[in-house]
Amino acid sequence: MTDTYASVTALSSAANFMFRPTGETIITFRTYVKPREYGALRLKVWHSNAVDSTWSDGTESKAGDEGGAWRIESCTIGDGGRQPDGSAQEGSLRIVTFEGAAFKQVLAGERFWSDPVDAYIPEGHFLVFTWAIAVSGPESGIPYNTETLLAAAYEAAGNIAAQETAEGFLPAGNRQVLPSMIAYERETDKRLVFLGDSITQGVRTEIDGYSFWSARIAEGLAPSIGVWNIGSGWARAYDLAPDGPWMAKAKQGDEVAICLGVNDIGTGNRSAGQLIGDLTSIIEQLKAANEDVSLILFTLPAFNFEGAHEEVWRTVNEWIRKQAPERVARVFDIAKILGQARPYENKLKDEYMSPGNDPHPNGVAGADVAEAFLLWYKQQ
């Protein structure tokens, strides 16, 4: 985000995986996003060609991995209509350029902006973003996000970013290939960044529903508060310990809400001391970059931990509630909202479970968390 541009959507576009094609190819990626505002919009895209957070055990991709050299053959943005079906509204697509060119050679690890472009998105319509990317092989890795998709996404062979019809486009499955930020020109009073894992990203909530809590919070805030969701599936606090691409994104916020730790416990098997150390490092790095940044630290959400993992969860949450306020502006107790009554507060409430007995909070939880957060937030 800049002083005059903010994220146009509450959808996260963080990267946690790397697409490595086996040979030379061109693929067109088309994604539909719900904008925070409608009408005439001046848009730009910003991209960080790197993986933000570690996926699974880090074998496939890990935080800080640089994307390779690849080429944007063409790029468009426009009105995706009311139904994200692979098409764009007739006559709505606008060409996105980069330093005046309709293409761009992207360098390994590069961070870059596009030129501004004007588009019109009617009330209740999706914004559709499309880019055709050429890669030469596995060394030309493209960072992207892999999880259960939260936005309709399509792929097609060849360079057809300017095509309005859905012909040739097929559902993308679990591959969301988006710029790090689709931004719109908007004077803001504050730039709020949501930094978290799959729970912040909204994994397991319904596609195109924007029912996860960070999206519902954004909907409840005035557009003068810019919101950038950089939640990423499988992410953990220690992904931010080195000052890498993900931390560089978080540092752009005037206010940063941090909701991390679940994967550190469940996947990383971190001790309470290690996790507290990583959270402290995040806080210190953000404050060192901007001493005026306002930090909100969430307690670790209820995630059905048991045994040694439960003990770490309880110890860290005790630290967040009692000692972290010395380091951050405020603490939001999301665990209290999501958890069952004591002594089972480590267990997610049954009505908040996702299908398949999955402890990722569902859309009902998203509504309740957002309502509580907005009431709490506006009291500051």
Side-chain angles (χ1 to χ4, degrees), residues 45-90:
V45 299
W46 178 80
H47 192 54
S48 170
N49 186 21
V51 171
D52 294 311
S53 66
T54 302
W55 174 258
S56 188
D57 62 359
T59 302
E60 295 289 341
S61 58
K62 60 184 183 300
D65 284 351
E66 288 190 347
W70 40 274
R71 178 182 166 96
I72 300 170
E73 296 290 340
S74 61
C75 182
T76 62
I77 202 162
D79 176 7
R82 292 186 180 276
Q83 298 298 325
D85 60 4
S87 69
Q89 295 296 290
E90 184 177 355

Side-chain angles (χ1 to χ4, degrees), residues 129-140:
F129 175 85
T130 315
W131 54 356
I133 296 177
V135 291
S136 58
E139 71 280 2
S140 300

Side-chain angles (χ1 to χ4, degrees), residues 92-366:
S92 76
L93 292 181
R94 300 292 178 263
I95 296 173
V96 179
T97 60
F98 304 86
E99 297 183 341
F103 58 88
K104 176 175 173 56
Q105 181 62 51
V106 179
L107 303 178
E110 184 180 2
R111 300 172 189 173
F112 60 91
W113 279 101
S114 75
D115 301 323
V117 59
D118 295 321
Y120 187 86
I121 312 300
E123 184 81 26
H125 285 215
F126 287 93
L127 180 154
V128 61
F129 175 85
T130 315
W131 54 356
I133 296 177
V135 291
S136 58
E139 71 280 2
S140 300
I142 303 173
Y144 72 98
N145 194 282
T146 183
E147 261 290 4
T148 52
L149 292 189
L150 297 175
Y154 296 84
E155 298 178 6
N159 177 6
I160 58 171
Q163 178 181 297
E164 294 176 341
T165 69
E167 184 180 356
F169 283 100
L170 297 174
N174 65 341
R175 187 159 60 197
Q176 177 184 290
V177 184
L178 273 177
S180 299
M181 185 195 299
I182 302 175
Y184 73 128
E185 191 172 43
R186 184 59 157 97
E187 292 287 348
T188 56
D189 301 322
K190 182 188 297 183
R191 298 168 297 178
L192 171 60
V193 172
F194 284 108
L195 173 63
D197 52 33
S198 56
I199 295 172
T200 302
Q201 183 182 348
V203 166
R204 305 293 183 268
T205 59
E206 58 271 29
I207 189 170
D208 299 320
Y210 290 78
S211 62
F212 46 97
W213 56 261
S214 49
R216 289 183 181 272
I217 289 170
E219 189 173 6
L221 294 173
S224 59
I225 298 179
V227 174
W228 190 20
N229 181 359
I230 56 173
S232 184
W234 283 96
R236 53 219 80 174
Y238 64 74
D239 286 335
L240 290 145
D243 192 3
W246 202 26
M247 178 59 79
K249 291 181 179 181
K251 286 179 179 178
Q252 296 184 48
D254 301 311
E255 186 168 54
V256 182
I258 305 163
C259 185
L260 284 164
V262 164
N263 293 313
D264 297 78
I265 297 172
T267 304
N269 288 308
R270 305 287 272 180
S271 68
Q274 287 173 317
L275 180 48
I276 290 169
D278 291 332
L279 291 172
T280 301
S281 173
I282 294 168
I283 292 165
E284 290 175 347
Q285 288 183 71
L286 291 171
K287 295 297 282 187
N290 176 12
E291 63 180 16
D292 295 325
V293 69
S294 179
L295 300 180
I296 299 170
L297 185 59
F298 282 50
T299 51
L300 309 188
F303 207 71
N304 295 2
F305 287 129
E306 297 179 341
H309 286 167
E310 180 187 343
E311 288 303 311
V312 173
W313 181 88
R314 290 182 180 276
T315 300
V316 175
N317 271 348
E318 185 76 1
W319 174 81
I320 291 173
R321 293 184 179 109
K322 294 186 175 178
Q323 294 178 262
E326 298 174 6
R327 295 175 169 86
V328 300
R330 305 176 79 190
V331 167
F332 180 68
D333 200 345
I334 191 173
K336 187 175 181 180
I337 299 163
L338 294 175
Q340 299 180 18
R342 296 182 66 181
Y344 304 110
E345 60 267 39
N346 57 303
K347 304 286 188 181
L348 191 69
K349 291 177 181 176
D350 291 340
E351 61 269 30
Y352 292 162
M353 294 283 284
S354 289
N357 207 34
D358 188 322
H360 283 86
N362 59 21
V364 176

